Amino acid sequence: MSTYKVPTMAEMAASGDSPEILFWVGCAGSFDERYKAVTQAFVKILNKVGVSFAVLGSEEACTGDPARRAGNEFLFQMQAVANIQVMNGYGVKKVVTACPHCFNTIKNEYPALGGTYEVIHHSQFLQQLINAGKVVLQGGGEFKGKKITFHDSCYLGRANDVYEAPREVIKALDVELVEMKRCRTKGLCCGAGGAQMFKEPEPGNKDINIERTEEALTTGASAIAVGCPFCLTMMTDGVKNKEREQDVKVYDLAEMIAKDMGI
Amino acid sequence: MSILPQIIFVLVLAVAGYILYKRVSFLRRNIFLGKGETRNDQADQRWKTMFLVAFGQKKMFKNFIPAILHLLIYVAFVIINLEVLEFIIDGLTGSHRIFAPVLGTTYGVAMNIFEFLAIAVLVSCIAFLIRRNVMKVERFTKPELKGWPAMDANLILVIEIILMLAILTMNATDQLLAARGVEKYTLLNGLFFSSMLQPLFMGMGDGALVFIERFAWWFHIIGILAFAVYVTYSKHLHIFLAFPNTWYSNLKPKGEMKNMPEVTNEVNMMLGIATEGGTDPPAEIGRFGAKDINDLSWVNVMNAYSCTECGRCTAECPANLTGKKLSPRKIMMDVRDRAEEVGKSLDTGGPGLEDGKSLLGDYITKEEINACTTCNACVEACPVNIDPLSIILQLRRYVAMEESGTPAQWNAMFQNMETSFSPWKFSPSDRFNWADQVKNEEMK
Ligand code: SF4
Ligand code: SF4
């Protein structure tokens, strides 16, 4: 019997090897109870398809995104410079991550600090695998024909102009993709970006994730697809708040693909 | 023939020119209260952006009906200004419709086009007045628009309507005079729109008609000059600043926050990393982040002067939509107001920036900037590529690094990150635990 492998960069280096891609897991991917399932699903896909990858494991640290956006540039750069030292030490060229915040920071902000890599969001990577025929979807899976809506995460969409890849991935599942009124460039934030994830919102009439969840529910979709750990948390909380967790599920793209592949 | 009108005209032009010169210098100085920033790279891309966004109104068309009305006013503004050229030559030389003999029948066609545009402006301005004051579009009812900003918007619309009426009145009486064979007036073969006004004036004698025609002429040209001056005090400045503002757009990915090299030096020293060049002395460290307008870049301040207070940013802002105090439009208005205040103080020998006030605190509160999710909706929405987010983030940097005034929960997050390299309080040694389960699972 063979099991799933999760090689680390350190192990690879020790055996004189280097993987094609570094899978950057991120803090949510490492620690968040719900989101760990996404990390695991993505790792299973990588195993199944035979992509040469490795993770940093305990050598990874927060990219520093929330610190920078909350204004603490020192702390951001401390994290960033340390991460860059580790990655450059391993000669990393290509990074894949499921977190749009990690994606944005490593792709756009690390170069100024000496870390230049090719950075790909997992939605783009999954799309490449599907297009290349490496991920073969059964199509008859549990999502077939279901109404699914996609929530654009700001850091993937507006921040980096990635709108189509996640939609292509969803469509490949043979589902009915329904758009919310505010989508793509006009998408509405889940309320977590800019370090909002880590504090209570300022006083207002409503929480942002509730507003967004209401919009998602109006589409009549039975599942809300996301491509971001924060969006996953915010939308899941929103669905619970509306007491719809029985009939409306929130999934990350990688989970949907893994489910369809039967892994 | 008296040359008195010409002398008066030259005086009027000179006064207007002088006031405009003063105003432009004032605005220029205020914009450059901001810090230096070089944005001259990728000139091709910059011209293209300016062409599409400012000249081509690309982003306006996210919202079709206002876009069409706005486009009509904009095209009319550009084209009718060709007529102003004729006005100026006529005014200086004492001629009347100097281009008419030169252009022949084309002149009549051009006048008809101008009149059509004048009517289009009239209709659009009336529609906008109704939209603002009767329909109560939500973004025009926000608190930051109370008072002068709302008045400013209405005034502009009313002035434009009056200026267009002046053109039409002038043409109507001018053609009546020409038809009566009064000297100096040229008969053009039919001005469609103004001829509809002619019944109003038909019963008048030549003298009264000449008076009305001249009055409308002077009213129009002085009105335009006054409008040009007024614009420099108004949100309407966007008609000029939209062009440089889009040329100096941020061309980087929207999610990228600008690096602070002065921090990099310190971080490298702390981590024992040799900086490039080895013994470079640390760059001179000013204030971290922004507290006042002189800490922002001049592009930020120019953004503020280009803001037309349309509120498209605020209408898309998730924080604002859910009732938080943050309004990106207000951020832009605050920056402009503060720049004006400092500028006026400097001009009157006052303390300028040292007046004991600052942008952060006296204009923008922490509650506002803390509510921002950095989602870039405001940046995306702005029809002239203004970036309110950049200002918000610089203010946050000041609060975090100079004041240590960040909300407590963020401070806790900072602590976690410092001690365990994650925003949550988990042991770094548990970071890889997620893999244990998968590693034992049989591969299907
Ligand atoms: S970036 Fe901030 S200010 Fe701009 S729309 Fe988003 S939350 Fe509002
Ligand atoms: S910043 Fe742009 S979108 Fe916002 S009010 Fe000003 S011009 Fe309008």
Side-chain angles (χ1 to χ4, degrees):
Chain A
M1 119 179 173
S2 86
T3 53
Y4 292 105
K5 305 269 180 302
V6 192
T8 61
M9 292 303 273
E11 288 163 10
M12 284 245 170
S15 58
D17 223 359
S18 76
E20 204 180 296
I21 63 163
L22 167 67
F23 170 35
W24 183 273
V25 180
C27 300
S30 307
F31 295 119
D32 182 89
E33 272 316 316
R34 168 72 183 86
Y35 201 68
K36 276 197 240 177
V38 177
T39 310
Q40 290 160 348
F42 191 61
V43 157
K44 287 183 186 177
I45 298 171
L46 295 176
N47 268 273
K48 193 78 185 165
V49 184
V51 175
S52 140
F53 80 100
V55 297
L56 283 171
S58 47
E59 283 189 280
E60 193 185 283
C62 176
T63 58
D65 157 86
R68 182 172 242 195
R69 273 139 193 93
N72 194 334
E73 181 74 6
F74 277 98
L75 185 52
F76 161 71
Q77 291 203 15
M78 292 292 281
Q79 307 283 309
V81 170
N83 279 324
I84 290 168
Q85 279 196 305
V86 172
M87 285 198 276
N88 288 354
Y90 287 123
V92 169
K93 301 249 152 16
K94 192 166 166 180
V95 181
V96 177
T97 177
C99 174
H101 297 268
C102 299
F103 167 73
N104 176 69
T105 303
I106 303 175
K107 179 173 182 280
N108 299 323
E109 297 179 353
Y110 278 17
L113 298 168
T116 306
Y117 321 98
E118 181 191 351
V119 190
I120 302 176
H121 184 249
H122 80 326
S123 62
Q124 299 171 307
F125 194 70
L126 289 170
Q127 191 200 1
Q128 288 170 12
L129 291 176
I130 294 169
N131 290 352
K134 289 194 183 142
V135 163
V136 184
L137 295 168
Q138 297 166 346
E142 70 175 274
F143 299 113
K144 188 180 165 64
K146 291 255 171 70
K147 255 195 194 173
I148 307 230
T149 189
F150 176 67
H151 163 73
D152 283 285
S153 88
C154 311
Y155 272 77
L156 197 57
R158 274 191 299 267
N160 288 290
D161 289 319
V162 180
Y163 296 107
E164 296 315 319
R167 290 181 165 77
E168 293 298 316
V169 170
I170 295 169
K171 284 189 204 143
L173 289 163
D174 205 7
V175 303
E176 185 193 340
L177 176 63
V178 284
E179 295 288 356
M180 287 183 249
K181 214 176 108 223
R182 289 177 279 210
C183 62
R184 292 196 170 85
T185 53
K186 289 187 133 234
L188 180 71
C189 179
C190 70
Q196 300 299 337
M197 184 75 193
F198 306 100
K199 71 162 180 50
E200 286 304 313
E202 324 316 305
N205 321 325
K206 202 192 243 183
D207 284 349
I208 297 172
N209 66 325
I210 304 297
E211 171 83 14
R212 186 54 164 171
T213 307
E214 285 168 357
E215 196 173 357
L217 293 177
T218 3
T219 64
S222 61
I224 303 169
V226 297
C228 170
F230 296 164
C231 298
L232 186 87
T233 305
M234 294 310 245
M235 298 308 281
T236 309
D237 287 353
V239 171
K240 274 197 201 122
N241 179 285
K242 294 272 146 191
E243 296 178 354
R244 293 289 298 277
E245 66 268 38
Q246 292 312 316
D247 57 324
V248 178
K249 303 280 177 231
V250 186
Y251 293 111
D252 182 89
L253 298 169
E255 292 179 298
M256 298 175 78
I257 297 290
K259 266 187 200 286
D260 199 85
M261 290 168 79
I263 53 178
Chain B
M1 193 183 80
S2 152
I3 60 155
L4 189 62
Q6 280 151 271
I7 294 171
I8 295 174
F9 187 77
V10 171
L11 282 177
V12 167
L13 266 191
V15 169
Y18 177 73
I19 301 175
L20 270 178
Y21 167 76
K22 287 302 250 185
R23 283 298 299 165
V24 171
S25 315
F26 175 75
L27 295 174
R28 217 186 114 79
R29 195 271 322 275
N30 289 357
I31 288 173
F32 288 113
L33 286 171
K35 285 199 293 197
E37 178 172 8
T38 318
R39 277 203 188 167
N40 293 322
D41 59 322
Q42 306 178 58
D44 291 354
Q45 192 55 40
R46 296 191 176 283
W47 285 114
K48 198 175 139 199
T49 309
M50 186 181 95
F51 190 77
L52 283 174
V53 177
F55 192 75
Q57 312 266 296
K58 181 175 162 218
K59 289 175 95 181
M60 282 298 287
F61 275 87
K62 290 177 177 173
N63 221 341
F64 193 74
I65 293 178
I68 287 288
L69 298 176
H70 182 266
L71 185 72
L72 284 172
I73 299 182
Y74 164 68
V75 170
F77 171 76
V78 173
I79 295 181
I80 294 180
N81 272 334
L82 292 175
E83 203 188 357
V84 173
L85 183 68
E86 186 182 43
F87 267 70
I88 291 179
I89 299 176
D90 283 345
L92 289 174
T93 61
S95 59
H96 184 68
R97 294 199 186 273
I98 193 161
F99 292 157
V102 187
L103 294 175
T105 44
T106 328
Y107 187 86
V109 176
M111 281 304 131
N112 267 312
I113 295 175
F114 290 169
E115 286 197 350
F116 166 74
L117 288 171
I119 296 284
V121 170
L122 256 174
V123 171
S124 302
C125 287
I126 291 171
F128 279 154
L129 278 173
I130 294 173
R131 236 162 65 92
R132 272 188 185 265
N133 301 291
V134 184
M135 282 165 58
K136 298 278 178 215
V137 174
E138 208 196 327
R139 63 189 155 96
F140 298 136
T141 61
K142 298 271 165 184
E144 67 263 23
L145 276 200
K146 297 264 145 44
W148 162 246
M151 176 75 168
D152 182 18
N154 283 330
L155 259 178
I156 291 160
L157 293 169
V158 171
I159 295 174
E160 287 183 40
I161 290 173
I162 296 176
L163 286 177
M164 294 306 118
L165 285 174
I167 288 195
L168 293 169
T169 305
M170 181 187 85
N171 283 353
T173 46
D174 167 286
Q175 287 307 294
L176 276 179
L177 288 164
R180 293 183 191 176
V182 176
E183 196 206 349
K184 269 185 91 175
Y185 289 95
T186 325
L187 191 61
L188 309 164
N189 33 15
L191 294 183
F192 180 72
F193 293 99
S194 60
S195 67
M196 289 190 254
L197 283 180
Q198 283 176 348
L200 285 177
F201 307 106
M202 264 180 207
M204 297 183 181
D206 290 358
L209 281 184
V210 170
F211 178 80
I212 293 176
E213 190 277 332
R214 284 291 86 194
F215 182 82
W217 188 92
W218 281 97
F219 185 88
H220 187 71
I221 188 69
I222 292 177
I224 281 184
L225 294 172
F227 188 62
V229 172
Y230 175 76
V231 159
T232 66
Y233 289 92
S234 151
K235 77 188 189 85
H236 225 52
L237 200 49
H238 78 277
I239 58 179
F240 299 112
L241 281 183
F243 294 90
N245 197 68
T246 48
W247 200 87
Y248 288 106
S249 295
N250 176 25
L251 299 180
K252 302 248 178 76
K254 287 197 195 69
E256 178 180 340
M257 253 177 96
K258 220 167 66 202
N259 196 46
M260 293 179 70
E262 62 271 40
V263 170
T264 313
N265 284 338
E266 295 207 4
V267 166
N268 282 344
M269 279 195 292
M270 273 150 86
L271 294 175
I273 301 169
T275 39
E276 263 169 61
T279 51
D280 275 1
E284 200 195 309
I285 296 174
R287 198 180 254 168
F288 290 120
K291 180 188 188 192
D292 213 338
I293 46 163
N294 60 323
D295 304 317
L296 296 170
S297 108
W298 69 272
V299 177
N300 295 137
V301 187
M302 177 176 63
N303 274 185
Y305 275 106
S306 315
C307 174
T308 184
E309 300 169 11
C310 67
R312 283 161 205 261
C313 50
T314 296
E316 300 285 325
C317 175
N320 193 278
L321 271 169
T322 53
K324 280 111 190 149
K325 285 225 174 77
L326 173 62
S327 162
R329 165 173 57 190
K330 178 179 170 291
I331 302 285
M332 302 318 299
M333 294 168 72
D334 287 339
V335 171
R336 179 178 174 148
D337 289 350
R338 175 65 182 153
E340 289 279 301
E341 179 181 59
V342 172
K344 275 182 204 142
S345 164
L346 287 174
D347 279 355
T348 52
L353 286 155
E354 312 301 327
D355 58 355
K357 292 206 226 167
S358 59
L359 178 65
L360 180 70
D362 294 295
Y363 287 81
I364 302 172
T365 61
K366 282 190 205 166
E367 180 177 341
E368 291 167 66
I369 59 169
N370 286 343
C372 174
T373 69
T374 71
C375 69
N376 267 301
C378 51
V379 183
E380 179 73 43
C382 180
V384 290
N385 287 358
I386 286 170
D387 186 351
L389 176 55
S390 148
I391 296 168
I392 295 172
L393 290 173
Q394 292 176 72
L395 297 173
R396 278 192 184 174
R397 279 178 167 167
Y398 177 82
V399 173
M401 292 192 282
E402 297 268 357
E403 278 193 331
S404 305
T406 313
Q409 285 175 304
W410 276 352
N411 279 327
M413 172 192 80
F414 294 158
Q415 286 237 304
N416 292 335
M417 223 185 263
E418 260 167 53
T419 52
S420 49
F421 315 111
S422 155
W424 292 287
K425 204 174 181 59
F426 289 110
S427 163
S429 57
D430 290 341
R431 189 176 266 276
F432 197 34
N433 291 356
W434 62 267
D436 295 344
Q437 192 193 341
V438 221
K439 281 201 251 180
N440 292 321
E441 219 178 290
E442 192 182 335
M443 199 164 139
K444 279 183 263 184

